[in-house]
Amino acid sequence: MSSALLTPLDSLADWRGGLDRGLGRLITLLGDGQLLDPQAHALTDALRQRLASDRLVLAFVAEFSRGKSELINALFFADAGRRVLPATPGRTTMCPVELAWDAQQPPALSLLPIGSRSGGLTVAAARGQPALWQQVPLPVGDADGLAQALQPVTRTLRVTVDEARALGFWNDEQPQHNPPRDAQDRVEVPAWRHALINWPHPLLRRGLVVLDTPGLNAIGAEPELTLALLPSAHAAVFVLAADTGVTQSDLTVWRDHLGDRGCERFVVLNKIDALADPLLDAAQIEAQVQRQCLQAAATLGVEPGRVFALSARQALAARVQQDESALAASRLPALESALMTQLLPQRAQVIGRMVEDGLLALQQAAQRRLDDRRRQTDGQLAELRSLRGKSAARLKLVSHRLAGEAEAFERCAPRLAALRVVLGRQLQDLQAGLGGDRLREAVQRMHDDSAHSLFKLGAAKAFAELGRQLGAQLDEAERRADEITQMLRASQRPLNAEFGFELVLLPPPVLDEARTELRRIEAGYGRYVGLTQVWRLSQPAFMARFTRMLQSRLRIVFEGAAQAIELWGRAIGNQIDDQLRERRRALAQRRDAHDRIRDAEDGLERSIQGLEAQEAQLKGLAERLATEVDQLRLLAATPPPTEAPRPARLQLVPAAATPTTPPPARGAA
């Protein structure tokens, strides 16, 4: 009995594959037609890389003992015929666990020791250093061996209070959050900081990444989980216990880490089997379940349709025993249906819009070059056809006209070159305003202002000032882009009118996406500089990690804005270069044709025939380009179906052989 997500993920993967193959055909067509300039080549490479590396990240968040790991087992690993992830009463998931599949690496469990936190190294940086991780090979085709190999994720260590304080698990100002001491005055902490499971499960092979998070204390102790991993998830499943509903600790997790996230959020009331009561009939028990769902929805501020009551334990047992009626009674299919009908189509729309935008840019650039070539060819044909039966005087007149056009070209070329120089200088200055140096300076000012304030009470003000400064930088970039646009408008009009160019004024990029992401970062990181977090800000290690991760997130935003400006500038510059190149090529071709006409009596007809063939070829190329782009845009705008799967029994792993080299760490985002 396979997961209901398998078929829609298959559809999504096939759809992405179809888009990639279509882009491959388009690249071949553009290359054969000499329409693939460096900018178009870079754009198609970026689109194909995005399609190949796209992943669907699903995060499971809960307090301890809510049955989160059991839910993951029921959703994704029931085909193993047993529990795969450790899921026993009490605390099981002690560190963030990512489940994914990288075909370039062998199946393995990679564990990052908790001691790596003391050096200030981020998990993102540690991913590129395989030597820091402990590797546990995972057996292929052995479910019992797999479950046993994954047991180390539950390991803990006993350390002194000083060691716990250095690792971030002990805070003297917040004693209610500290772990209990044992008889030897030691406290329990996770043995690992992060775990990566590389496993060829059918769903993971299709691009799904599952993030299993630990409980509240571990989330609070590892800022990178909330500042980097959770924000990268496309959807989050928040797991509660049906018998308790939303407890105070559950509400704290929701408000601090999920309440204002931009991702899709689903709430699960697990363990409805605990509501069974021999003194109540089925209708009364169902009323209790519905009441708990409505109360959870009201408390968390979500739509009731986003709350799902189920029993993960019953669902896992039903799938292992292939009992369809018991699976329906567990109510797990309702959650799977919601993930299929809400999450997957939305992800497909994001990918489709990205591909459509890229295709439109490619088509416009290629069509401009084709139109210019056709105009030049039509002009040459009209000129050569007019020479049929004309006297030598007519030929001489054409020679004079050709010489005049060559002279005009020599006059316009320096003006275009000067325009390119001015454009390049202004674009360079514009991009410098979005560069990494200014960003580092702004973040460092925020860090210094926070550090110098009494008890770190000025951190919130410094953070708000940072957001204002960065927003002003984006506004300034747009203003300068508008100034460049006005300069180009004043320069292009006389060039088009005087020399017959077809320079098009491209609209400057709008940086709304960067602003939106900046607001998300402000909302997500702002909670860590408020009055309630003063005790954390007073810890130098926390503030240093906070600053590094904040700068890393902001760098991605500003690099994206700078890249949009760069692509816009390249498109303008390439347009100028293309038309200069095409004009130079057409002029040389006309000179060559004219020379052949003068050298041989039949040269005129041969030239006309050659140009007619060239005209037909350009027309056919334009039609094929339009057809290919229309088909691809239609495919991009048509999300894959999320139809119900046919019952089938999946093997735990495919029969393909796996490599034996040790894996470097890899991430989900």
Side-chain angles (χ1 to χ4, degrees), residues 295-608:
Q295 288 178 352
T299 303
L300 300 179
V302 299
E303 299 176 2
R306 288 296 181 102
V307 180
F308 302 89
L310 55 85
S311 171
R313 183 176 63 180
Q314 289 181 351
L316 177 61
R319 282 215 157 117
V320 169
Q321 298 164 9
Q322 302 190 55
D323 187 337
E324 292 285 355
S325 61
L327 179 62
S330 74
R331 307 193 189 192
L332 182 68
L335 174 63
E336 291 178 319
S337 177
L339 293 174
M340 284 190 296
T341 58
Q342 298 177 42
L343 175 60
L344 296 181
Q346 182 191 62
R347 187 62 191 157
Q349 288 175 3
V350 172
I351 300 171
R353 283 195 299 267
M354 173 197 71
V355 173
E356 280 195 89
D357 292 344
L359 288 172
L360 185 60
L362 286 171
Q363 185 181 29
Q364 289 175 342
Q367 193 62 50
R368 282 197 299 268
R369 301 185 70 180
L370 278 174
D371 290 345
D372 193 61
R373 289 185 190 179
R374 294 182 70 178
R375 280 192 299 271
Q376 299 294 336
T377 301
D378 290 344
Q380 293 178 54
L381 269 174
E383 182 179 278
L384 293 181
R385 285 167 178 164
S386 69
L387 294 178
R388 283 172 169 160
K390 301 297 182 180
S391 63
R394 178 66 175 172
L395 188 60
K396 185 176 181 180
L397 181 62
V398 173
S399 297
H400 284 304
R401 184 187 301 166
L402 187 59
E405 292 184 8
E407 182 182 354
F409 177 78
E410 295 301 327
R411 292 200 314 272
C412 76
R415 291 174 59 177
L416 285 174
L419 178 61
R420 285 286 273 123
V421 171
V422 173
L423 174 64
R425 187 182 304 118
Q426 293 189 1
L427 285 171
Q428 186 176 9
D429 293 342
L430 192 159
Q431 289 177 281
L434 299 173
D437 291 340
R438 289 194 60 181
L439 180 61
R440 280 192 297 273
E441 292 172 0
V443 175
Q444 187 60 44
R445 279 197 302 272
M446 182 217 70
H447 181 274
D448 294 342
D449 292 345
S450 300
H452 295 155
S453 64
L454 183 63
F455 303 119
K456 304 298 184 296
L457 295 177
K461 181 179 179 181
F463 184 77
E465 176 63 17
L466 173 65
R468 188 197 64 77
Q469 292 176 5
L470 297 182
Q473 288 184 28
L474 294 177
D475 294 340
E476 175 67 11
E478 282 194 343
R479 187 189 65 78
R480 299 196 66 173
D482 287 336
E483 290 180 352
I484 294 175
T485 302
Q486 298 303 321
M487 181 272 294
L488 290 171
R489 180 179 288 111
S491 302
Q492 286 181 355
R493 284 176 178 172
L495 286 169
N496 289 344
E498 186 175 349
F499 300 107
F501 282 97
E502 294 290 336
L503 297 173
V504 179
L505 192 64
L506 302 177
V510 179
L511 303 181
D512 288 347
E513 184 177 349
R515 288 191 182 89
T516 300
E517 188 60 26
L518 184 59
R519 286 194 293 268
R520 287 187 61 188
I521 293 174
E522 289 176 353
Y525 283 66
R527 61 165 59 91
Y528 294 97
V529 294
L531 290 176
T532 61
Q533 303 294 325
V534 169
W535 63 277
R536 283 183 179 166
L537 296 173
S538 63
Q539 303 175 26
F542 178 88
M543 195 61 191
R545 285 198 303 271
F546 177 87
T547 303
R548 281 196 301 270
M549 286 183 285
L550 174 61
Q551 182 171 318
S552 176
R553 287 289 306 280
L554 291 173
R555 186 178 66 249
I556 295 173
V557 174
F558 277 75
E559 284 178 352
Q563 185 179 30
I565 297 289
E566 181 182 3
L567 291 175
W568 173 63
R570 283 185 184 177
I572 296 172
N574 287 342
Q575 183 185 175
I576 296 173
D577 295 342
D578 286 347
Q579 296 205 25
L580 262 179
R581 184 166 48 250
E582 290 296 328
R583 188 63 59 88
R584 185 180 289 109
R585 183 192 63 79
L587 192 59
Q589 190 177 38
R590 292 178 65 185
R591 282 173 173 164
D592 184 59
H594 193 264
D595 291 342
R596 288 200 304 270
I597 293 170
R598 296 177 60 181
D599 292 342
E601 184 177 349
D602 60 344
L604 176 62
E605 289 302 323
R606 286 202 304 270
S607 297
I608 291 175

Side-chain angles (χ1 to χ4, degrees), residues 7-21 635 640:
T7 294
L9 278 176
D10 260 339
S11 298
L12 187 63
D14 292 343
W15 179 70
R16 288 200 310 264
L19 288 173
D20 181 71
R21 290 189 296 273
L635 179 60

Side-chain angles (χ1 to χ4, degrees), residues 60-65 68-69 91-97 153 169 190 192-194 211-222 225-226 229-230 238 253 257:
F60 288 79
V61 183
E63 259 287 40
F64 293 119
S65 300
K68 171 171 47 64
S69 297
R91 299 168 58 169
T92 53
T93 304
M94 299 301 296
C95 68
V97 180
V153 299
F169 291 99
W192 316 110
R193 184 180 178 187
H194 203 79
L211 175 61
D212 185 8
T213 66
L216 173 64
N217 290 337
I219 288 180
E222 181 56 76
L225 178 60
T226 53
L229 292 178
L230 284 181
F238 186 53
V253 174
H257 308 297

Side-chain angles (χ1 to χ4, degrees), residues 10-52:
D10 260 339
S11 298
L12 187 63
D14 292 343
W15 179 70
R16 288 200 310 264
L19 288 173
D20 181 71
R21 290 189 296 273
L23 282 170
R25 292 192 301 270
L26 182 60
I27 291 172
T28 301
L29 179 62
L30 293 174
D32 292 344
Q34 297 181 345
L35 299 172
L36 195 63
D37 58 21
Q39 182 190 9
H41 203 288
L43 179 55
T44 54
D45 283 349
L47 288 174
R48 300 190 75 180
Q49 177 63 29
R50 178 70 181 274
L51 287 171

